[in-house]
Amino acid sequence: MLGTPSVEELRHKTFGVRHLQCLLLALGLAMGYANRVNFSVAIVAMTDAHEHKEGVETFQWSEKEKSLIQSSFFWGYVVTQIPAGQWCRKVGAKAIFLWGNIISSTLALLTPYLVTMGDWQMLVAVRIVQGLAQGVMFPCTHSVLSRWSPPGERATLCGLAYAGTYLGAILIFGSSGWIITYLHGWPSVYYVSGFMGFVWCFIWYVWGSNSPHSYKRISPAEKSMILKSMETPEDRNVESSFKTPWRSIVCSMPFWALLVDHCAHNWGFWTLLSQLPSYMKYILNMDIQSNGLFSALPYLIMFLLTFIFGYLADVFHKRQWMSTNLSRKLFNTVGQWLPMISLVALGFCDSSHLVWALAFIVISVGFNSSSFLGFNVNHLDISPNYAGVLMGITNSAANVITILALLTVGFVVTDVTDPLQWRILFCVAAGFYFVGNLCFLLFGQTSVQKWNESSPKPAEMQLLEPNHEGKSYTK
C-alpha cells in the first residue's frame, strides 16, 4: 500500500505498541520467575535456626527433602506446557498468561501459612500447583511474540521479552537478603513476590493484547507495518483452523536437535540457579545479605548482556555479515560452551578463591543469555505458525530433565560443606551443556519446515536472514 511505513522507517520510533507488549511480557515473566525462585533464597533462612525471628518458624529438612521441594515445581510445570500451546491458538495468550500469574501469585501469598500448617509435604503440593499455573508462560510468550515482532526487530524484541526471566531473579536474589533481615523473616519473600505478581496482572489486563488486530489504540501505520512485514492473515481464526502436524513434527530432525539442546540447557542452567544461594553460604561462607546481593549479580549481567547480544544480532542482520543459521549457532555456542568451561572451573573454587568463584559464577550465568538468541528462538525459525506448540513440547521435555537435575542434587550433594560433591555436580551440568550444543551445531536448522502449512515462506521469523537478491541464507 502506498504510504505504508516500512520496518526500517518505523523502527527508529522510540516506543511503539509492539515494544509495550514485549515490555509487558518481560514483566510478566519476571513476576513468574520471582514466584518460582523465591524458594531458592527463602530455604536458606527457612532451614537455619540462627536466622530466627520472633513468631517465624524454621524447619529441619534433610537434603533429599529440600531436593524434592525444589523439583516439585517442575512436576506441575511440565504438565501444562503442551496444552498451553494449543490453548493459545484457540483461546488467546492474554487470558491464559493472566490466569497463570493470578494463581501463582495467590499461592505465593498463602505459602507461609500453608507450610506452617503442613510442613514440607504441603509446600510440595503448593509448588506443584504453582508449576501447573506457570507452565503456560513460555508458550504464551512465544505466541504473543509471533504476532507482535517484525522480522527486522525480532532479536531486540525477543531479547526484551525474555530478559524478564533474569529480571525476576535479580529482584528476588537482590532484595531477599534485605527483606528477610529487616522485614518479617522468610515469609516476607513470598508476600513481596506475590504482591508484585498481582500488580502485573492488573497492568496486563488493561494493556496486554494477543495481536495487533485486538489492540484498539495502535496506530494504523504501526499495525500495517507489523502485519505486512510478517504477511499475517487478516483473520486470525484462519490460522487456528489448521490442524497441528504432530507426525511431521515428531519426524523432524531440526525439531529433535532443538529438543535435545533445550533439555541439556535446562539441566545446566537450573542446577546452578537453584543451588547458587546454598553454594554461596556453605562453600563460599557468605552471609544471607551478601549472599542475596551476589546471587543477583550474575543475573544482572545476564540481563544487560541480553540487550547487547540482541543489538549485535540486529547489526548482523542489517549488514548481512552472516546467515541466520550461523548466527543461531554462534550465539548458542557462546551461551552454552562458555558457561560449560566456567562451571568446571567453579567446581575447583572454595572460600579461599572467592573472587575467582564469583567471576566464574558471573560467566556461567551471565553469558547464558546468548543462548536465547540461539535455541530459544529457533522454534520461530522452523515453524512460525506452531511456535507456541513447539515451545510447549520442548519446554515440557526440558523441565522433566530439570526435575531429574534437581533430584540428582539431593543424591550427589549429601554434605553441603563438601567441595568435592559440588565439583561433581557442576561437572555433570557442564557435560550436558557440551552435548546439547553439539547436537544443535550438527543437526539444527533455521529454514521453515515443510509442515509449517499455513506459512508460504519464512516471513514470520527472518532474523538475520534475507538478502537483496531474493535468495535465502538458510540451508
Side-chain angles (χ1 to χ4, degrees), residues 193-359:
S193 61
F195 174 76
M196 292 192 303
F198 273 103
V199 172
W200 176 86
C201 288
F202 173 77
I203 296 172
W204 177 247
Y205 178 78
V206 175
W207 285 289
S209 178
N210 290 315
S211 71
H213 294 286
S214 59
Y215 196 88
K216 297 180 180 179
R217 292 182 290 275
I218 187 172
S219 69
E222 184 179 10
K223 179 179 179 179
S224 177
M225 180 271 290
I226 294 172
L227 300 183
K228 293 285 185 182
S229 69
M230 299 190 294
E231 297 188 351
T232 306
E234 288 299 318
D235 183 4
R236 295 305 301 187
N237 291 326
V238 172
E239 179 189 312
S240 66
S241 66
F242 286 98
K243 294 182 179 180
T244 303
W246 294 110
R247 178 176 296 181
S248 298
I249 291 174
V250 171
C251 294
S252 171
M253 180 58 73
F255 165 74
W256 281 103
L258 172 58
L259 177 68
V260 169
D261 192 39
H262 198 162
C263 290
H265 170 271
N266 268 38
W267 185 294
F269 182 75
W270 279 101
T271 294
L272 187 59
L273 179 65
S274 63
Q275 300 305 313
L276 188 54
S278 296
Y279 175 77
M280 286 185 160
K281 177 177 176 62
Y282 297 111
I283 299 299
L284 302 184
N285 298 324
M286 302 177 70
D287 62 68
I288 195 165
Q289 283 182 270
S290 57
N291 184 334
L293 290 172
F294 280 108
S295 293
L297 177 62
Y299 298 97
L300 176 60
I301 301 299
M302 196 178 196
F303 180 77
L304 297 175
L305 285 177
T306 298
F307 297 101
I308 295 175
F309 290 136
Y311 171 77
L312 290 175
D314 278 344
V315 170
F316 295 159
H317 166 70
K318 182 178 180 180
R319 301 185 182 182
Q320 302 182 30
W321 283 352
M322 63 178 66
S323 68
T324 304
N325 195 54
L326 179 58
S327 174
R328 290 285 183 269
K329 294 178 178 181
L330 172 64
F331 282 111
N332 209 67
T333 299
V334 171
Q336 294 187 0
W337 279 3
L338 275 183
M340 171 191 73
I341 295 169
S342 57
L343 265 180
V344 173
L346 180 61
F348 290 87
C349 294
D350 55 27
S351 58
S352 64
H353 306 97
L354 183 60
V355 174
W356 280 107
L358 294 176

Side-chain angles (χ1 to χ4, degrees), residues 410-430:
F411 289 96
V412 174
V413 184
T414 55
D415 179 4
V416 291
T417 62
D418 185 352
L420 177 60
Q421 295 181 4
W422 287 97
R423 187 178 307 157
I424 294 171
L425 185 71
F426 292 152
C427 286
V428 170

Side-chain angles (χ1 to χ4, degrees), residues 29-146:
L29 290 175
M31 297 307 100
Y33 259 64
N35 285 322
R36 184 189 304 193
V37 304
N38 51 17
F39 175 74
S40 296
V41 177
I43 191 174
V44 176
M46 292 173 75
T47 58
D48 188 350
H50 299 293
E51 297 288 344
H52 181 70
K53 280 188 174 290
E54 185 177 354
V56 177
E57 185 177 351
T58 56
F59 307 91
Q60 301 300 314
W61 295 330
S62 68
E63 291 306 311
K64 289 185 178 180
E65 289 169 345
K66 292 178 186 178
S67 294
L68 282 172
I69 300 170
Q70 288 274 22
S71 66
S72 60
F73 175 91
F74 298 95
W75 303 353
Y77 191 70
V78 300
V79 174
T80 49
Q81 293 285 328
I82 297 176
Q86 296 286 61
W87 296 338
C88 288
R89 289 170 55 79
K90 300 296 183 181
V91 178
K94 177 180 177 178
I96 297 170
F97 205 166
L98 175 66
W99 279 105
N101 250 326
I102 287 175
I103 295 171
S104 177
S105 299
T106 300
L107 289 172
L109 293 172
L110 293 175
T111 293
Y113 170 75
L114 293 174
V115 72
T116 55
M117 295 295 293
D119 204 60
W120 69 269
Q121 293 92 339
M122 179 61 75
L123 186 53
V124 165
V126 169
R127 299 285 290 177
I128 291 173
V129 179
Q130 274 190 314
L132 287 168
Q134 289 200 25
V136 304
M137 291 187 178
F138 272 32
C140 286
T141 300
H142 257 48
S143 179
V144 174
L145 286 173
S146 72

